[in-house]
Amino acid sequence: QVQLVESGGGLVQPGGSLRLSCAASGSLFRLYTMSWYRQAPGKQRELVAVITFSGVTNYVDSVKGRFTISRDNVKKTVYLQMNSLKSEDTAVYYCNAHLGQDSWGQGTQVTVSS
């Protein structure tokens, strides 16, 4: 399994922006499908964005046009740029790496509130 460490969460006002980062260990990062999930209080964890090893991306409808997932295979890091944040984006955000099996980060809290 790969080790994942998220960073970049925090408190932001509605309409603001944050960039989450997820740093990975290991030498096979370039082969992994990387994803961001989130879990709000009392709700199930949901897939937010995914990027394949070849750079193909996909997003949940609620974040399309606002969030952008990207990866840097040299730095072994995946990013989630979040713009025009809304209160309903408040959640713990988790990084996931998939290559035959899943690895998870510890999560980073994002709170959107005035």
Side-chain angles (χ1 to χ4, degrees), residues 6-7 14 21 25 27-28 31 33 38-39 60 67 70 74 81 85 87 92-93 98-99 106 109:
E6 300 105 332
S7 61
S21 299
S25 64
S27 60
L28 298 178
L31 301 179
T33 293
R38 67 186 178 187
Q39 188 166 19
V60 67
F67 290 11
S70 61
V74 173
Q81 178 67 45
L85 282 161
S87 58
V92 178
Y93 284 71
H98 181 78
L99 184 64
Q106 82 286 355
Q109 176 70 47

Side-chain angles (χ1 to χ4, degrees), residues 28 47 52 72 76 82 92-93 104 106:
L28 298 178
L47 176 62
T52 69
D72 185 329
K76 293 189 286 186
M82 305 186 294
V92 178
Y93 284 71
W104 294 91
Q106 82 286 355

Side-chain angles (χ1 to χ4, degrees), residues 76-114:
K76 293 189 286 186
T77 300
V78 63
Y79 304 97
L80 186 67
Q81 178 67 45
M82 305 186 294
N83 299 327
S84 302
L85 282 161
K86 306 175 181 180
S87 58
E88 51 263 43
D89 295 317
T90 295
V92 178
Y93 284 71
Y94 296 91
C95 180
N96 171 274
H98 181 78
L99 184 64
Q101 60 182 349
D102 286 310
S103 298
W104 294 91
Q106 82 286 355
T108 186
Q109 176 70 47
V110 171
T111 302
V112 184
S113 175
S114 55

